[in-house]
Amino acid sequence: MRSLVALRLVLHDRASTAGALLGVVAIVFLVGQQLSVFFGLLSFMSVLVDHSGADAWIMSRDTRNLDAGKLIPARYLDRLVGLPEVEWAEPILIGSNLFRTPDGSYETVRLVGSRRPRYAGGPWRFAAGDQHALLDLEAITVDQIDLPKLGRPAMADLTEIGDRRVRLAAITQGARGFQGTLVFGTLEKVREIIRTPAGQVSAIVVRFTPGTDREAALARLRVVLPYASVFRTEDLSWLTRQYYVTNTGIGGSFGFSTVIAVVIGVVIISLTMYTSVLGRNRDFAVMRALGGRRRDIAFVVCAETLIITGLGLFLGFVMLAGLLHFALDSAIPCYLPAPVPIVLAVGTLLVSLLASLFALRTALQAEPAQVFH
Amino acid sequence: MATLHSERLARDFSDGTSLRRVLFPTTLTLHPGELTVLSGPSGSGKTTLLSLLGLVLQPTEGRLRLDDRDLTDLDEADAATVRRQAFGFVFQQPMLIEGLSVRENILLAIGIQGERPSAAHQAKAEALLADLGLAGTGPLQPRLLSGGMKQRVSIARALVKDPAVLLCDEPTSALDAESGQAVMRILKRVALEERRVVVVVSHDARVFPYADRLLKIENGQIVADARERYLP
């Protein structure tokens, strides 16, 4: 009966219900949107590492993130391929240069060169063409998201990167880097474009033989390559993300805007619930006079909050899903890892209950004696 | 049916600096089957006495018993439970809760502590409505009813749990003369036929003819206690 009373009050007090709903939706949608952009950017930061298909990355000594490593000798490969723990090892070359667009202007692109035929660290999903397109020495790929920025080059179009001739041979999907447009090519072509001396690479990616003890294999690599950094792929991904989050202000910026969204939601929920309870003060006094205990009143107020929060979560997540769907193929970085919506829902529920504390306190002050004039 | 007995029941109020006694020690026995009218000028203490009798105020001194059960020192939750089980209230204003239907308002008196009203309770609510001339109003919102109808709904709310004691605070003061008379006839019947203790606080002289017992209170003290049947 108390739940029914709460539901009836929620349905009847439409103005305050709408206000509190707005607060819950504001928290879910604004925080969810902030988090989706944040996690979208996080996924950009380590996109190359996450899609490399490798178990370990070899980079220069004291490297702190993927984008801040010195070149390492390619001959390290020879030391690695002979190890029984190593199934394969492949070099990667990463650098930047200018892409000449059809109208003659230039765009900075991030070039990633990988070795035929495995193309480890190379492109992983295609909107047009496939990996075989990179068998052509001049071939490069660009991502479909970046096509407008690059002047909408067509497949097989010739252009220049760093004054070297390239041909658009395939279009990737979802290959977006934190430092700009990702262009994949062969190791030789990228070496030529970014003018790296022969015998040097940016990193070596390693896949261990199935059944290998990974920790033991990593330790072995560190012994074999004492002047290089040996990372587990997950560790390099984490280090790269952590570096950008803590050193670029992204973490603080998103944290601040998330807190602001929560505060706005809490204020809206607090005020509307408080006003609603004030307006219902006499009704709570009647309930007390009829035999309601304080805990019965608390039950009604909390049930009201839960009903509004449940409805707000539904509306907020529908809106968020709409945004994510809309942003799927846009330039807006949007990505929500599976546990985030659950954490967001639980967090919103707790925050809503917290915001209703003022209202609850007021409701509990209703005395049965108030109903007598 | 039960008897409500107060023994030297008194109440002080504090204004922050000094204590003021608003009800001096009052000893009363209220019998079932009797409609007692408590009258007196404003500020005389009649509502305070009614609040003490209904366990919505704690007495400063004295004791209150319902039959042999001492209700004086109950904690807040136990007092609420006793109110729910044994006391019915009719207020000056009907005080129905907007948003709940008429039927839900009545059943709230049963379910306020979380119980689900049984089919028997629901049938009783409908029967009370019919008995009070409100058949078919169960699904309606209270705002669609007139003042007199709302007050009758509040009587149904008070009676649905079969209370031993029915306490009414100026139940006719917000009603026109005809509705007020109808409400008093119902209360009279509830006292006589259902053998309940019925106490009505009122300074409306039109109520007095319905009283089996007329208590007059002035300056916090009962100054007259007349047992006289004004109506057959």
Side-chain angles (χ1 to χ4, degrees):
Chain A
M1 185 78 197
R2 293 172 302 186
S3 307
L4 178 72
V5 170
L7 178 64
R8 292 280 190 256
L9 298 187
V10 165
L11 293 176
H12 187 264
D13 300 343
R14 288 183 196 146
S16 53
T17 297
L21 258 182
L22 179 71
V24 177
V25 171
I27 292 176
V28 175
F29 184 71
L30 294 179
V31 173
Q33 178 266 336
Q34 288 290 321
L35 289 178
S36 71
V37 173
F38 178 69
F39 283 107
L41 287 174
L42 275 187
S43 70
F44 289 179
M45 293 168 190
S46 57
V47 67
L48 286 176
V49 182
D50 298 335
H51 288 91
S52 64
D55 293 318
W57 279 65
I58 316 293
M59 296 191 70
S60 63
R61 201 173 181 178
D62 300 327
T63 296
R64 290 191 295 168
N65 69 77
L66 173 69
D67 300 309
K70 281 172 60 182
L71 295 172
I72 57 174
R75 67 172 184 279
Y76 283 178
L77 274 169
D78 302 331
R79 296 193 207 172
L80 294 171
V81 292
L83 296 174
E85 295 90 344
V86 174
E87 184 181 356
W88 52 254
E90 293 287 345
I92 294 180
L93 206 48
I94 303 171
S96 298
N97 216 318
L98 294 173
F99 182 105
R100 185 183 169 87
T101 63
D103 68 1
S105 60
Y106 291 92
E107 282 287 341
T108 302
V109 294
R110 190 82 169 147
L111 290 134
V112 181
S114 52
R115 194 165 68 169
R116 289 171 288 185
R118 186 169 280 119
Y119 298 109
W124 55 91
R125 196 163 64 227
F126 293 87
D130 57 26
Q131 260 181 347
H132 297 303
L134 291 182
L135 289 171
D136 174 5
L137 185 64
E138 291 184 337
I140 55 144
T141 72
V142 298
D143 198 80
Q144 62 178 2
I145 293 288
D146 296 317
L147 287 174
K149 189 166 74 172
L150 299 176
R152 299 188 185 282
M155 289 281 278
D157 276 2
L158 287 171
T159 185
E160 291 176 358
I161 303 178
D163 298 328
R164 296 292 189 273
R165 196 168 84 155
V166 294
R167 183 195 311 277
L168 179 58
I171 295 171
T172 56
Q173 195 174 34
R176 304 190 61 198
F178 187 62
Q179 290 199 333
T181 304
L182 278 181
V183 171
F184 293 98
T186 60
L187 194 70
E188 296 79 6
K189 190 67 189 176
V190 171
R191 184 185 301 285
E192 179 191 337
I193 294 171
I194 64 176
R195 296 168 180 82
T196 305
Q200 304 238 282
V201 294
S202 303
I204 296 170
V205 291
V206 176
R207 165 77 67 83
F208 294 132
T209 311
T212 301
D213 177 347
R214 291 184 70 193
E215 292 309 314
L218 287 164
R220 181 84 187 271
L221 296 191
R222 288 186 183 112
V223 171
V224 172
L225 302 171
Y227 297 107
S229 295
V230 178
F231 299 101
R232 288 196 309 171
T233 298
E234 309 88 89
D235 292 345
L236 182 61
S237 173
W238 167 247
L239 277 175
T240 304
R241 292 175 177 203
Q242 192 187 37
Y243 174 83
Y244 284 118
V245 168
T246 54
N247 289 286
T248 61
I250 286 177
S253 167
F254 276 95
F256 181 72
S257 50
T258 301
V259 168
I260 291 294
V262 171
V263 168
I264 289 171
V266 166
V267 169
I268 295 173
I269 296 170
S270 291
L271 287 178
T272 49
M273 287 294 291
Y274 178 71
T275 310
S276 169
V277 164
L278 270 188
R280 287 282 183 181
N281 195 266
R282 193 202 68 174
D283 292 338
F284 288 123
V286 170
M287 290 181 207
R288 294 286 319 276
L290 293 179
R293 300 155 295 184
R294 285 188 198 278
R295 62 172 172 268
D296 299 313
I297 304 302
F299 185 98
V300 171
V301 174
C302 289
E304 278 190 81
T305 306
L306 290 177
I307 291 167
I308 291 171
T309 305
L311 197 55
L313 284 173
F314 175 74
L315 290 175
F317 276 117
V318 165
M319 289 170 63
L320 195 57
L323 175 80
L324 291 177
H325 179 72
F326 171 75
L328 200 61
D329 291 323
S330 76
I332 304 168
C334 276
Y335 170 62
L336 271 186
V340 173
I342 297 166
V343 173
L344 179 58
V346 173
T348 304
L349 183 65
L350 294 176
V351 164
S352 299
L353 286 171
L354 188 72
S356 66
L357 281 182
F358 275 124
L360 180 61
R361 187 167 164 266
T362 305
L364 291 179
Q365 284 169 348
E367 289 293 338
Q370 285 172 241
V371 294
F372 294 104
H373 65 281
Chain B
M1 281 289 154
T3 300
L4 188 64
H5 182 74
S6 77
E7 192 178 312
R8 297 190 59 74
L9 212 56
R11 173 74 192 198
D12 297 334
F13 281 113
S14 167
D15 60 5
T17 53
S18 61
L19 276 180
R20 190 168 62 90
R21 177 143 285 194
V22 292
L23 184 71
F24 289 89
T26 301
T27 299
L28 270 178
T29 301
L30 297 163
H31 299 283
E34 215 171 48
L35 190 152
T36 302
V37 172
L38 189 58
S39 76
S42 291
S44 58
K46 53 187 189 300
T47 298
T48 302
L49 177 56
L50 192 76
S51 303
L52 291 170
L53 293 175
L55 298 179
V56 297
L57 274 183
Q58 280 281 338
T60 308
E61 59 187 70
R63 308 208 73 77
L64 180 69
R65 285 201 322 271
L66 185 63
D67 281 342
D68 293 332
R69 185 175 181 191
D70 194 330
L71 307 178
T72 318
D73 298 320
L74 296 177
D75 66 22
E76 209 172 61
D78 287 341
T81 301
V82 171
R83 276 201 304 275
R84 192 187 71 85
Q85 292 168 341
F87 288 83
F89 294 95
V90 178
F91 312 113
Q92 183 176 13
Q93 302 291 334
M95 299 217 181
L96 303 177
I97 295 175
E98 289 296 335
L100 271 62
S101 67
V102 165
R103 185 188 297 118
E104 288 163 350
N105 264 288
I106 294 170
L107 292 173
L108 183 63
I110 300 289
I112 187 58
Q113 287 194 357
E115 298 82 350
R116 181 188 288 266
S118 64
H121 287 130
Q122 302 203 21
K124 175 149 195 196
E126 292 299 337
L128 279 168
L129 284 174
D131 201 28
L132 295 169
L134 296 168
T137 58
L140 299 180
Q141 285 292 312
R143 65 187 155 78
L144 299 174
L145 305 182
S146 68
M149 291 166 88
K150 286 182 189 172
Q151 195 60 295
R152 279 182 279 159
V153 172
S154 79
I155 294 172
R157 180 175 64 186
L159 294 177
V160 72
K161 56 192 176 185
D162 273 328
V165 181
L166 185 60
L167 302 174
C168 311
D169 185 25
E170 308 263 13
T172 60
S173 68
L175 303 178
D176 59 58
E178 194 181 332
S179 301
Q181 297 293 320
V183 165
M184 284 313 298
R185 278 196 295 274
I186 292 165
L187 295 177
K188 180 78 179 178
R189 196 190 72 205
V190 166
L192 272 180
E193 295 176 10
E194 300 178 13
R195 306 288 299 163
R196 302 180 202 279
V197 173
V198 178
V199 181
V200 176
V201 164
S202 180
H203 53 242
D204 181 356
R206 291 174 298 181
V207 166
F208 298 162
Y210 293 90
D212 298 308
R213 184 180 181 188
L214 185 58
L215 295 172
K216 219 168 177 187
I217 186 165
E218 284 179 11
N219 298 319
Q221 298 186 75
I222 291 178
V223 294
D225 183 352
R227 284 176 184 278
E228 225 173 296
R229 236 172 241 285
Y230 293 90
L231 281 182

